[in-house]
Amino acid sequence: MADIGLMHYLMLAAALFCCGIFVMMTKRNAIGILIGVELVLNSVNINFIAFDRYRLIHGLDGQIAALFVILLAAAEAAVAVAICMNLYKNLNTIDVDRGDALHG
Amino acid sequence: MSNYETYLAIGVVIPLISFVILLFFGPRLGKPTAGWVAVSAMGASCVLATMTLVGWHGEDSIARMSLTAAASHNQFHWADLGAVAVRIGVKLDSLTVIMFFMVTFISFWIFVFSIGYMAGHSDEVAGKSKYHRFFCYLSLFGFSMLGLVVSSNLLFLFIFWELVGLCSYLLIGFYFDKKFASDAAMKAFITNRVGDFGFIFGLMMVFFFLHTLDLDGAAAEFAHQYRSESGIFEQGFVINLFGWQLSGMTLATAMGIGLFCGAMGKSAQFPLQVWLPDAMAGPTPVSALIHAATMVAAGVYLVARVFRLLTPDAQMFIAVIGCITLTLMALVAVVQTDIKKCLAYSTLSQLGYMIFGLGVGAWIAALFHLMTHAFFKAMLFLGSGQVIEGCHHEQDMRKMGGLMKKMPMTGLTFLIGVLAISGFGIPGMGVGLGGYFSKDEILAVAWDRSYMWNEPIEHHGDAGHAEGDLQSTSAGTSVAVRIVPEGRSDNSPAIHRRDPMPTVTRSPVGTVESTPGLHPSLRDSNVSGIRNPPAINRRATFDRPYGADRDVAALTAADTPDHRNAESSFRLVSDPHAAIPSEPRDSSRADAPTSIKAGIPALPKWLFWCALITAYVTPFYMMRCWWMTFMGKPRDQHVHDHAHESPMMWFPLVVLAVFTFVASYWVFRPMIADAAAVATNAVAVVGLDGVADTAGQAHGELIHVHDAHHWLATGVGWSWLIAFVVAFLIYRNGLALGSKLKALFGPLATLLEKKYYFDELYGFLFVMGCRAVAQVCRFFDTYIIDMFANLAAKITERFAAFSGRGVDANVVDGVFNGLAATSMDISNLVRSPQTGRIRNYVLFAAGGAAVVILLVLFLVSPLAPGTMLSAINP
Amino acid sequence: MLLTSVVFAPLIGAIVCLIMPKELTRVVAVLTSAITFALSLFLILPFLGGGDASRAIEVFGGAYGEKLHFVHRLPWITGETFSIEYFLGVDGLSMPLIVLTTFVALLACLASWNFNEWKINKSIKGYFFLFLLLEMGMIGTFAALNFFLFYIFWEIMLLPMYFLIGVWGGPRKEYAAIKFFLFTLAGSVLMLVALVAMFFYSGEAVAGGAPSGYLSGVEITQGTFDLIELATNDAIQQHFGASSTLFLGRAFAPLMFMFLFVGFAVKLPAVPLHTWLPDAHVEAPTPISMILAGVLLKMGGYGFLRLCYPIFPTGGVAWAGVLATIGVVSILYGALCAMAQTDFKKLVAYSSVSHMGYVLLGIAVMTHTGFQGAMFQMIAHGVSSPMCFFLVGVIYDRAHHREINRFGGLWLTMPKYGTMATIGFFASLGLPGLCGFIGEIYVLLGTFEARHQFAWAVPAAILAASAVILTAGYVLWLIQRVYLGPEREEHAGFPEATGREMLILVPFAAFCILFGILPKHLFFDYVNGTLVNIVDAVQAATQTGAAYAAGF
C-alpha cells in the first residue's frame, strides 16, 4: 500500500459528496436534507484542504476557502433551522413536500 | 459709472422693486395704496429720467461720446456663449436717454390715470379683487420696457422683449374670466412668438456672422466685415445650403429680415398685425401704455437699434412691409365704430409709418414720429378711456355724440391728439404739432428716395468743414469718424446732389471709411472674430490727429424746425491718426477692393404714393372719430346722461396734451438727431450712404427738405385740412351720409370691416392647421409607433402559441398583454420540471453536473482523462 | 468618502425605514433625503470660483478627466485578467446633476407626505424603501466613473421604478410599468454588449502595456472599465477609433456609439423610443413622476456626455446627422403631440419629450455652445418639469381627474397656486428670464454655430427654433383652458395650495427664476470647464472622424 496521496482524499470527498447528494435526494424530512447539505459542504472542504496540502492552490487560499465554507455552513444551518421552525409552525410538520404553497 | 448710467440703472430697478412689493404685499396694501406704490415707483424713475435728460441735454456732443464709450466698458459679464462672452450694461446714448424719458414719463401719467380708472372700473375678476395685480403687472411692464430700452446687448434686448410680451399677455388677459380677453391675450402672445421665431433666427445669424450679440460690437463687426477683404460680403463668401449657393449679402439680408420679424410681431406689422386690435380687450390704460405708446413702439426701437445691421435689401423689405401696414390699416380704421378699435387701427397705421420711415432710411424722422406718436396716442387712448368710463362702458361711437359739453377737457385734449396725429401745421411757416414734422419728414425722404435717386453722388467737403469728431466705440473697435458737412448751401441741395462727377462710384466704401483699431482698453475684450483689421486709409481728407478738433462740436447745432433733415446724412471719413500708433499697419491693404458692395436701389414709387395717400386718410378717420364722439347730437340718451369726467383722469390728459404741444419738436428732434450720429454710423456704410450722398447733407447741417420739394410740402402739409373738411361734410349731420357711402362701396366696406378676413384666414390656416397636424401626430404616436412595439410583442406571442395554449383571445388583446401571456407560456413550459421537491432538484443538479463533467472530459476538453489525472497527481 | 456617503445615505435611510414603525416612515424618508441633499451641497465647494479664468484649470483641469473631485476608488472585484474598481468621482458634468437629484428627491419626498391620503393605501414602508433605493441608484449612476459600477447603479435604478409605478400607480399601472421596464431593459441590453466589447477591445489596445491616460506614472496592461481611462488613453482611443477595428464586421466606434446611444435614447427619451414616457407618467404617482421627469430623463443626456462622446468621438461625428434629426423631430413632434393631448399629465409628459429633444440636438452638434445649452437644458428641465408635474398632482389631489377640458378658472379658485403655475408653465414655455429660455437659446445658437461642420446645422436650427411657436401654442392654450376663464362651480370648494405644497413649489419657482436670470453665476461657472474639455477632446478627434464618417 502506497502512502496516502491526494487521490485518496479526493475519493473520500467524492464518496462523502455522493452520500450527501443521496441523503438530499431521498429524505423528506427537512432536518435530514440539512444534514445532507452539510455532508456535501464538508466533502468540498476536504477537497479544499487536500488541494491546499498538496500545493495545488496558491498559498493558504484553500484553507481560507475551507474556513469560509465552514462559516457559510454555520450561517446556512442557522437560516435553515429557522426555516424549519417556521415550516413547523405553519404546517405542523417538517416534511418538505408538504410545503408546496408556492408551487404554481 | 457715470451719473447717467447710475440714474438709468436705478430707474430700471425701481419698478422692479415695486413689482416685488406688490407681488408679495399687494393684497395687504389694499385698493388705493397698491396703486400709489406703483405710481410713486414710476414717478421716481421718471424723476431720474428727467434728471438724465436735462443733464444729457447740457452735455456737449464730445462729452456724450465719451460717456457712451465709458458706459460700454462698464458691463456685467452675464454668460458665455461658447467662447463668446455675453455682457450686459446700460446703453447710454441720446436715443436711450430720450426713450427712457418718454417711457417713464408716459408710464407715470398713465399710472396716475389708472388709479382714477380703476377707482370707477371693476378691478374684480369673478368677485375677487385683482387691484394690486393690475399695478403689479404694470410695474413689471415698466421694468421690462425700461430694461429693453437700456439694453446694450441683443440677447438682453430679446429677454426684456419677451418680458414686455408677457406683461402684455397678463394685462390683456386681466379680465381673464371673460373668454374673449383670454383669447386675445393668447393671440397676442402667440402672434408675437411667430415674430420672435424670426427674431431668434436673426439672433442666430448675428451670432453666426458677427460673433457677438452686443449691439455696438455687432455693428462694428458688421462694418468691419463690410470693409474687410475676406469678409462675408465678398464674392468668394458663399454658403452652400443643400445646393443653394447663398452669398454673404443674401445671408446678411436674411439676418436683417429675421431681426425685423421680431419687430413685425411686436409692432404688429403686416402680416402679424392681427393681435393688436384684439388686444384692446385689456383695460384702457393698458391699451394706452402698452398697445399704443410704448411696447408696440419697441419694434420700431429695435429696428432703429439694429439699423446698422441692415442691408439695402433688408431695408427695402422693411419699407414695403411698413407701407403695406400703414395703408391697409388706415383703410380699416375708416370703417371702425368702436372707439378703441379705431384708435388701435390708427396705431397700426402710424407704426407702419415709423417702420416705413426706417425702411426708407428716414431714421431720425421715424424715431421722432415714435416719440410724438407716443405722447399723442397715449393721450388719445386715455381720452377714449375717459369716454368709455364716463359713458358706462360704452365703446360704440354710434351711440355717442355730443359729448363735448359733458366732457370738455376730454374733448379738447382729444382734439389736440387728433390734430397732432393728423399732422396739423402750417406749411411754409414751420409751425405745427409733432406729427406734422415727423410725418412730413418721412414722406420727404421717401420722395427723395423715389424720385431724386438718379445718381447718388459723392461729394467731398474740404478739410475746413470738419465739424465734429465722433467716436463710436464698440466692443472691439474704436472707429474714429469725422463728419464732413457738405452741401451747406441750403437752397440748392437738389442741384448740388445731381451734380455729375465722373469719378463717382456708388460704392459706399468710397464714401465712408473708418479706421478700426483695437482700442487699448478693449484689446483683451472677449470678442472673437475681429482679426487685426486692415487700416484702410484710402480717402483721408484730414490730416489732423484724432482729437485735435474735438472741441468743434456742432452735432446738434442749427436744430430748428427750419433745418429739418431728410436723413442722418453725414459723411464718415477715416482718420489715419485715430489708430493707435503702436498698432501694426498693413499698408499693402491700403487699397482694399470694393467688390460687390453695391449701393442701395431707388425706392419703388408706389411705396411713396401709398404713404402719401394715407396721409390724407389719417386725418379723415381721426376727425371722423372725434366728430362722432364729441360733436353732433347725442344719439343715445342713456349714454349721454351718464357721461362725466373725473379730474384724476383728465389731469394726465392735459399734461400729455401740453407735451404734445411743447416738447415734441424742440426737445426730441435734436436729441434724436444726435443719437442718429452714433446709432446709424455703421449702417451708413451699407444702407444710408446713398441717402447721405443724395441728400448730401452733413449731419450738423439739417436741411429743410420742404424747401427742396415745395409742392410736396404744400401737398402733405395741408392734407389735414382737406381731410378734416371731408370728414366734417360727411358726419356733420349724424351717421346717415356715412351709412349711405358705406352702402355705396358695398363689398369693399365689408372687406374692411372684416379686416381683410385675416382672422378667418389665420384661424383656418394656422390654428386649425396646427391642431390638425397635432391630432395626426397624436394618432401617429398612439397607433403607429406603439404598433411597432406591439408588433414585436405579437411576433413573440405567435411563437408562444406553439407552447400549447393555441391562438385565442390573447392575440386580439394585443400588445403587452400578449407579451405577458408569452412569458406565462414560456414559464409554464419551463416550470414543468419545477416540482418544488428538493430531491428532484438535487437529482437534476447532480445529474447535470455529471453530464457536464463527462462532456468536459471526453468531448470538449483537449485534455484526455489520463492527463487530467496526472495533472492532479504531481 | 463624502461622495460615497452621499450615494449610500439613502440606502441607510431605506433600511431604517424598514425598521421604524409605520408612522415614522415618512419622517425618516424626508430626513434622509434632506441629509443627502445637505451632504450633496458640499460637492459644490471645489467648483466655486470656476468661472474665474485663473482658477479654471485648478477646478476643472486642462483636459477631460484631468481633475476629478471627491474621488473614492477602491479595488472591488479583481481577477487575473480584469479588475473592477469601486470608483466614484465628480466633475463639472456630474456635480450639478447629483445636486439636482438630491434636490428633486427631497421635494418629491415631501410631495409623498400625504401618502395616506392617496386612495391606494398600500404599504407605506415599501414605498419609501423603494423610493430611497431609487435615489441611491440615481446618485450612484451620476457618481460612478467605472462602467461596471455605472451599469450596476443603472440597473438598480430600474427595479424600484418598476415597482413604484407598478404597485402605487394608476389604473393601468401594470401596463405602464411593464412598458417602461421592457423599453429600458432593451436599451440596457445593448449597453451591456457595449460594456463587454469595450472591455475586451480596450484590453487588445493596451495588450503590450500603455501609459494611463490621466493617472501619471501608471501603466495599464489589461482591459479596463474605467470611463475616464477609456476616454483619455491614447492607445485605447486609437484602437477604438481606427476604421480597421471591427465588431461584427462593422467599424467599432460608430457601432458602439449607436449601442450606447440606443440605451440612453430610451431614457432621454428620443422619438421614436419615447412611448413609454407618457404612459409611465400618467400612471405613476405624482412624486414618482417628478423623479422620472426631473432626474431619470437626465440619465440619457448624462450618458451621452459621459460615455458616448468622450469615448467614441468619431462615432459622434459619424452619427451627428442622425442624432440631430432625431433631436429636431423630438422637439417638433413632442410639441405637436402635446398640443393634441387632453390629459393634463400626458401633455406635460410630451412637453418633456420636446424639451429633451433640445438636449439631444445641442449634444449632436458638438459645439461649446451646444453642449452648454444641452447641459443647461437638462438642469432647467430638471427644475421646471417636476414643478409642472407637481402642479398637475396638486390639482389631481383635489379633482381626481386630469381632463384639461373639464378644468377652468382655477386661478380664481386658487390664486397662489395659479401664480406658481404661471411661473412653472412659462418656464417650460421658454420665456426669457426663466430657466427654460437659456437652454433653448444656447442650443439654437450652438446648432447654428456648427454650420461649418455640418450642412444641416442651419436648417436644423431654424426648424428647432420654430418650435417656440408650437410651445407657446400648447402652453398658453393649456393655461387658458385650466387656469383662465370663469370660475367653475365644481371647483369652488378647492382649497388653496397648502403650506406643504407651497413649500415644494416655491423652491422650484425660485430656481426657475434664478437660473433664468443668472445662468453663468449659478450654473455655467461650475460646469463650463468640464464641458469645454469634452468638446475640445471631441473636436480634436473630429479630423479623423470626418474621414471616418465617409468610410462607414
Side-chain angles (χ1 to χ4, degrees), chain B residues 308-329:
Chain B
R308 292 176 282 182
L309 308 181
L310 301 177
T311 60
D313 287 345
Q315 284 192 36
M316 186 61 79
F317 180 79
I318 291 171
V320 169
I321 292 290
C323 185
I324 293 174
T325 313
L326 73 90
T327 316
L328 294 185
M329 295 307 122

Side-chain angles (χ1 to χ4, degrees), chain B residues 148 151 153-164 191-207 213 215 254-267 272 298-303 305-306 309, chain C residues 432 437 441 444-445 448 465-466 468-469:
Chain B
L148 193 156
S151 285
N153 187 296
L154 267 177
L155 189 63
F156 250 72
L157 206 151
F158 181 68
I159 289 174
F160 286 115
W161 181 266
E162 289 284 296
L163 283 181
V164 290
T191 315
N192 267 302
R193 273 262 148 171
V194 176
D196 293 341
F197 164 52
F199 198 160
I200 291 175
F201 171 74
L203 282 181
M204 290 194 282
M205 296 289 273
V206 171
F207 187 61
L213 291 171
L215 276 168
M255 172 174 84
I257 291 178
L259 290 172
F260 174 62
C261 280
M264 275 160 76
K266 202 116 285 179
S267 287
L272 300 181
V300 181
Y301 177 76
L302 171 75
V303 177
R305 274 288 180 220
V306 301
L309 308 181
Chain C
F437 168 71
I441 197 86
L444 294 177
L445 292 175
F448 218 88
S466 70
V468 297
I469 304 169

Side-chain angles (χ1 to χ4, degrees), chain C residues 109-140:
Chain C
C109 211
L110 280 174
S112 316
W113 192 258
N114 61 345
F115 185 88
N116 288 327
E117 291 163 29
W118 301 353
K119 294 297 167 208
I120 23 132
N121 193 0
K122 296 175 196 159
S123 165
I124 185 167
K125 278 189 174 186
Y127 176 84
F128 281 108
F129 174 76
L130 289 169
F131 184 93
L132 291 171
L133 199 64
L134 177 68
E135 188 181 352
M136 183 201 81
M138 294 185 301
I139 304 173

